[in-house]
Amino acid sequence: GDPDNRRMMQWSGLSLDQTWLFDRTKALLQIRAAHPSTRRGRRTTVDVSASTWLYKLTTTGDELYVAINRGEADAMVTGLPSGSLKELVMNGAVTGTSQIIPARQTRIFLR
């Protein structure tokens, strides 16, 4: 009896928030397709706090670090490997063993 049950997908006329969500989902799906460790990798927790979780996904030849901040404020995660890393969600380069993760967001780092 729910009138919103089985509503057709809206493909055009998206709001700014809907466009952001669509683009973010598309980027995450592309990362998943490109990296076998996201599908069948071994997961190891690197660092955890009340609002953040940093874990490593590994398979042969593929190593990713996933940082999740579920808090309402930006938070620092530590435990990333030293050297240069590629950040896949925002598509940039980072260095250092710690990174600030924006509130309620995720970052994925390629070693």
Coordinates of all heavy atoms in Angstrom, one line a residue, residues 10-25:
Q10 N 14.6 8.2 -11.0 CA 14.7 9.5 -11.6 C 16.1 9.7 -12.2 O 17.1 9.6 -11.5 CB 14.5 10.6 -10.5 CG 14.5 12.0 -11.0 CD 14.3 13.0 -9.8 OE1 13.8 12.6 -8.8 NE2 14.6 14.2 -10.1
W11 N 16.2 9.9 -13.5 CA 17.4 10.0 -14.2 C 17.8 11.4 -14.6 O 18.9 11.7 -15.0 CB 17.4 9.1 -15.4 CG 17.3 7.6 -15.1 CD1 16.2 6.8 -15.2 CD2 18.3 6.8 -14.6 NE1 16.5 5.6 -14.8 CE2 17.8 5.5 -14.4 CE3 19.6 7.0 -14.2 CZ2 18.5 4.4 -13.9 CZ3 20.3 5.9 -13.7 CH2 19.8 4.6 -13.5
S12 N 16.8 12.3 -14.5 CA 17.1 13.7 -14.9 C 16.4 14.6 -13.9 O 15.6 14.2 -13.1 CB 16.6 13.9 -16.3 OG 15.2 13.8 -16.4
G13 N 16.8 15.9 -14.0 CA 16.2 16.8 -13.1 C 16.6 16.6 -11.6 O 15.8 16.9 -10.7
L14 N 17.8 16.1 -11.4 CA 18.3 15.8 -10.0 C 18.7 17.1 -9.3 O 19.2 18.1 -9.9 CB 19.5 14.9 -10.0 CG 19.3 13.5 -10.7 CD1 20.7 12.8 -10.7 CD2 18.3 12.7 -10.0
S15 N 18.4 17.1 -8.0 CA 18.8 18.2 -7.1 C 20.3 18.2 -6.9 O 21.0 17.2 -7.3 CB 18.1 18.2 -5.8 OG 18.6 17.1 -5.0
L16 N 20.9 19.2 -6.3 CA 22.4 19.2 -6.1 C 22.8 18.0 -5.2 O 23.8 17.3 -5.4 CB 22.8 20.5 -5.4 CG 22.8 21.7 -6.4 CD1 23.2 22.9 -5.6 CD2 23.8 21.5 -7.5
D17 N 22.0 17.7 -4.1 CA 22.3 16.6 -3.3 C 22.2 15.3 -4.0 O 23.0 14.4 -3.8 CB 21.4 16.6 -2.1 CG 21.7 17.7 -1.1 OD1 22.8 18.2 -1.1 OD2 20.8 18.1 -0.3
Q18 N 21.2 15.1 -4.8 CA 21.0 13.9 -5.6 C 22.1 13.7 -6.6 O 22.6 12.6 -6.8 CB 19.7 13.9 -6.3 CG 18.5 13.7 -5.4 CD 17.2 14.0 -6.1 OE1 17.1 14.8 -7.0 NE2 16.1 13.3 -5.7
T19 N 22.6 14.8 -7.2 CA 23.7 14.7 -8.2 C 25.0 14.3 -7.5 O 25.7 13.5 -8.0 CB 23.9 16.1 -8.9 OG1 22.7 16.4 -9.6 CG2 25.0 16.1 -9.8
W20 N 25.2 14.9 -6.3 CA 26.4 14.5 -5.5 C 26.4 13.1 -5.2 O 27.4 12.4 -5.3 CB 26.5 15.4 -4.2 CG 27.6 15.0 -3.3 CD1 28.9 15.6 -3.4 CD2 27.7 14.0 -2.3 NE1 29.7 15.0 -2.5 CE2 29.0 14.1 -1.8 CE3 26.8 13.1 -1.8 CZ2 29.4 13.2 -0.8 CZ3 27.2 12.3 -0.8 CH2 28.5 12.3 -0.3
L21 N 25.2 12.5 -4.7 CA 25.1 11.1 -4.3 C 25.3 10.2 -5.6 O 26.0 9.2 -5.5 CB 23.7 10.9 -3.7 CG 23.5 9.4 -3.2 CD1 24.5 9.0 -2.2 CD2 22.1 9.3 -2.7
F22 N 24.7 10.6 -6.7 CA 24.9 9.9 -7.9 C 26.4 9.8 -8.3 O 26.9 8.7 -8.6 CB 24.0 10.5 -9.0 CG 24.2 9.8 -10.4 CD1 23.4 8.7 -10.7 CD2 25.1 10.2 -11.3 CE1 23.5 8.0 -11.9 CE2 25.2 9.6 -12.5 CZ 24.4 8.5 -12.8
D23 N 27.0 10.9 -8.3 CA 28.4 11.0 -8.7 C 29.3 10.2 -7.7 O 30.3 9.5 -8.2 CB 28.9 12.4 -8.8 CG 28.3 13.2 -9.9 OD1 27.8 12.6 -10.9 OD2 28.3 14.4 -9.9
R24 N 29.0 10.3 -6.4 CA 29.8 9.5 -5.4 C 29.6 8.0 -5.6 O 30.6 7.3 -5.6 CB 29.4 10.0 -4.0 CG 30.2 9.3 -2.9 CD 31.7 9.5 -2.9 NE 32.1 10.9 -3.0 CZ 32.5 11.6 -2.0 NH1 32.5 11.1 -0.8 NH2 32.9 12.9 -2.2
T25 N 28.4 7.6 -5.8 CA 28.1 6.2 -6.0 C 28.8 5.7 -7.3 O 29.4 4.6 -7.3 CB 26.6 5.9 -6.1 OG1 26.0 6.4 -4.9 CG2 26.3 4.5 -6.3

